[in-house]
């Protein structure tokens, strides 16, 4: 079945107008592209943060949709969770309970004490299956790749039940090819941020990234291939702004207006926003066993986050290396309110940055924040102190 295009026409627009279209889609809590997919007869696999092997759902002809919360009030979902939990758990469930998003399968991950119960809570409220994908806790084990390949095979069988047909190895290889192209384009997007950040503010770069979590990857590839050359030809001139690395957006996502506030005073040259979409940092080799290739790449060609523990890549060292590699002058560390992994990492990050003599700015956020006046004053003061002392 040939599915319709989900994005409105953008080829006749300017790059700025296309990016504005992406932002509107990213901020729309009704996720119109997902609705269009379902109206056309397509099925949807919703997956919670941080990483999910979307290639498997794509190979089945389903739409992988990253469930990342939304700036909505948890009117119904609030009754299903305790008070002192992060916002993203409640708003993600609210999207489903309120009918904004309808899924055919939901997959969660035990990334923290709160999220480990999400699939169980979700499953009690909906008839469609809710699964937990157990990514390896010990990424350094010699058995990690074999174990993960088995988990991916189990997930494949569950997706096949929903899709109503088998997923062939050739279909998986084709999906790996589509996603490899997407990874190449996202690396190019990151290159623009690092080398010419005045051409692409943080909030605009995020919009181009995040829209890929709600449309087929083929469409995302077409969009990026069309817009990136136009961004490179932009006429904006560099200004005397500090280069910064932003970290802390691995799960709950900061409001776009928060990113816009940061972009008014600085150049964000790298970040971990929606890191799951960029988790695998290189092309995945496509061989005889695509599930094994996918599993091996999760472990060996990957980034880092506070919810994965890999002794080969300590997160605080990765942050320091990231700052040095991008020639950044400081770091912004943001943590979602009530996020245990994020708040715990602040301690490790700040100690490592202190040891290296790298300045940093620490702040909390919540996805439903609307007032950024205080943050703007604090951040402006922080940057001016660094620039003029």
């Amino acid at each position: 079945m040939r599915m319709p295009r989900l994005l409105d026409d953008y080829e006749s627009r300017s790059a700025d107008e296309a990016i504005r279209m992406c932002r509107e889609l990213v901020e729309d809590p009704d996720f119109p592209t997902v609705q269009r997919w379902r109206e056309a007869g397509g099925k949807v696999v919703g997956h919670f943060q941080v990483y999910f092997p979307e290639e498997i759902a794509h190979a089945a002809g389903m739409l992988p949709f990253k469930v990342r919360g939304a700036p909505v009030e948890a009117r119904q979902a609030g009754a299903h969770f305790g008070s002192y939990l992060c916002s993203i758990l409640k708003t993600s469930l609210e999207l489903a309970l309120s009918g904004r998003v309808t899924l055919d399968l939901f997959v969660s991950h035990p990334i923290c004490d709160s999220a480990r119960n999400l699939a169980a809570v979700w499953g009690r409220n909906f008839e469609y299956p809710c699964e937990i994908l157990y990514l390896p806790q010990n990424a350094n084990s010699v058995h990690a790749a074999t174990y993960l390949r088995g988990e991916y095979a189990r997930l494949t069988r569950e997706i096949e039940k929903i899709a109503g047909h088998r997923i062939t190895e050739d279909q998986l290889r084709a999906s790996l090819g589509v996603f490899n192209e997407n990874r190449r384009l996202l690396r190019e997007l990151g290159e623009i941020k690092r080398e010419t950040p005045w051409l692409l503010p943080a909030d605009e770069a995020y919009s181009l990234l995040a829209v890929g979590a709600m449309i087929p990857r083929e469409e995302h590839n077409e969009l990026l291939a069309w817009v990136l050359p136009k961004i490179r030809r932009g006429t904006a001139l560099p200004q005397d702004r500090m280069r910064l690395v932003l970290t802390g957006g691995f799960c709950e996502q900061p409001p776009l207006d928060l990113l816009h506030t940061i972009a008014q005073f600085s150049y964000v040259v790298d970040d971990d926003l929606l890191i799951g979409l960029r988790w695998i940092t290189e092309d995945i080799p496509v061989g005889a066993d695509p599930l094994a290739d996918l599993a091996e790449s999760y472990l060996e060609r990957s980034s880092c986050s506070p919810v994965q523990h890999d002794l080969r890549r300590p997160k605080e060292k990765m942050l320091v290396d990231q700052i040095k590699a991008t020639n950044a002058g400081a770091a912004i560390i943001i943590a979602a309110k009530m996020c245990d992994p994020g708040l715990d990492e602040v301690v490790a990050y700040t100690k490592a940055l202190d040891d290296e003599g790298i300045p940093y700015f620490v702040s909390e956020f919540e996805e439903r924040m609307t007032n950024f006046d205080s943050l703007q004053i604090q951040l402006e003061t922080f940057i001016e102190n660094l620039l003029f002392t």
Side-chain angles (χ1 to χ4, degrees), residues 22-207:
C22 293
R23 174 169 182 150
E24 290 172 356
L25 288 171
V26 170
E27 291 188 307
D28 191 334
D30 292 326
F31 297 96
T33 56
V34 180
Q35 291 183 12
R36 292 172 197 164
W37 178 268
R38 290 194 61 83
E39 289 168 358
K43 295 182 178 180
V44 180
V45 176
H47 57 92
F48 191 65
Q49 300 275 39
V50 170
Y51 172 78
F52 177 80
E54 293 186 316
E55 291 90 339
I56 300 175
H58 178 273
M62 302 175 72
L63 177 68
F65 166 61
K66 180 173 281 295
V67 179
R68 52 172 175 79
V72 298
E73 185 177 352
R75 295 181 178 179
Q76 300 179 61
H80 298 271
F81 296 101
S83 300
Y84 297 101
L85 295 178
C86 58
S87 174
I88 187 175
L89 289 177
K90 301 174 186 177
T91 59
S92 292
L93 182 60
E94 183 69 25
L95 294 176
L97 290 174
S98 63
R100 290 181 171 92
V101 171
T102 302
L103 307 176
D104 296 281
L105 171 67
F106 176 69
V107 183
S108 183
H109 319 275
I111 58 174
C112 65
D113 289 341
S114 301
R116 71 172 57 187
N117 298 312
L118 182 58
V121 173
W122 205 292
R124 291 174 183 171
N125 290 276
F126 299 97
E127 294 183 357
Y128 54 77
C130 298
E131 293 288 331
I132 299 176
L133 177 63
Y134 293 95
L135 299 170
Q137 291 297 304
N138 182 6
N140 306 124
S141 169
V142 295
H143 305 291
T146 302
Y147 160 79
L148 184 56
R149 199 264 179 219
E151 270 294 280
Y152 285 173
R154 180 183 67 82
L155 175 66
T156 299
R157 292 191 293 270
E158 295 302 322
I159 291 177
E160 287 174 336
K161 293 176 186 177
I162 304 299
H165 61 80
R166 285 191 64 251
I167 302 172
T168 68
E169 289 189 343
D170 283 343
Q171 288 171 328
L172 282 168
R173 293 189 189 98
S175 290
L176 289 177
V178 171
F179 278 74
N180 277 344
E181 175 64 9
N182 190 249
R183 281 182 271 271
R184 183 191 68 78
L185 289 164
L186 290 178
R187 290 196 297 269
E188 184 177 345
L189 178 70
E191 184 180 276
I192 294 174
K193 287 164 54 180
R194 289 190 301 274
E195 296 182 358
T196 53
W198 53 89
L199 296 177
L200 190 64
D203 52 321
E204 295 183 5
Y206 180 86
S207 297

Side-chain angles (χ1 to χ4, degrees), residues 144-334:
T146 302
Y147 160 79
L148 184 56
R149 199 264 179 219
E151 270 294 280
Y152 285 173
R154 180 183 67 82
L155 175 66
T156 299
R157 292 191 293 270
E158 295 302 322
I159 291 177
E160 287 174 336
K161 293 176 186 177
I162 304 299
H165 61 80
R166 285 191 64 251
I167 302 172
T168 68
E169 289 189 343
D170 283 343
Q171 288 171 328
L172 282 168
R173 293 189 189 98
S175 290
L176 289 177
V178 171
F179 278 74
N180 277 344
E181 175 64 9
N182 190 249
R183 281 182 271 271
R184 183 191 68 78
L185 289 164
L186 290 178
R187 290 196 297 269
E188 184 177 345
L189 178 70
E191 184 180 276
I192 294 174
K193 287 164 54 180
R194 289 190 301 274
E195 296 182 358
T196 53
W198 53 89
L199 296 177
L200 190 64
D203 52 321
E204 295 183 5
Y206 180 86
S207 297
L208 288 172
L209 167 68
V211 76
M214 60 185 74
I215 58 175
R217 274 306 188 281
E218 292 89 342
E219 275 200 58
H220 197 215
N221 290 348
E222 291 172 1
L223 170 67
L224 293 176
W226 178 86
V227 77
L228 293 181
K230 290 177 171 53
I231 293 172
R232 287 190 182 277
R233 294 195 296 268
T235 58
L237 298 176
Q239 300 181 27
D240 187 18
R241 295 183 180 180
M242 175 160 285
R243 298 168 59 91
L244 301 174
V245 167
L246 173 69
T247 190
F250 61 94
C251 184
E252 185 169 327
Q253 297 300 289
L256 272 165
D257 284 341
L258 185 151
L259 299 181
H260 179 70
T261 298
I262 295 173
Q264 288 181 302
F265 305 101
S266 64
Y267 292 134
V268 177
V269 293
D270 209 348
D271 59 67
D272 65 348
L273 300 168
L274 289 176
I275 192 62
L277 296 179
R278 301 172 287 154
W279 181 259
I280 297 176
T281 57
E282 305 172 26
D283 286 358
I284 297 178
V286 182
D289 187 346
L291 287 183
D293 297 333
L294 195 56
E296 193 259 349
S297 293
Y298 171 83
L299 296 165
E300 303 299 335
R301 301 176 183 87
S302 55
S303 184
C304 66
S305 87
V307 298
Q308 191 217 43
H309 306 286
D310 189 337
L311 296 177
R312 301 168 300 176
R313 296 191 293 266
K315 292 174 286 295
E316 55 272 26
K317 180 181 182 301
M318 293 284 282
L319 175 60
V320 170
D321 291 346
Q322 194 177 22
I323 293 169
K324 292 180 179 179
T326 57
N327 195 30
I332 297 182
I333 305 170
I334 57 174

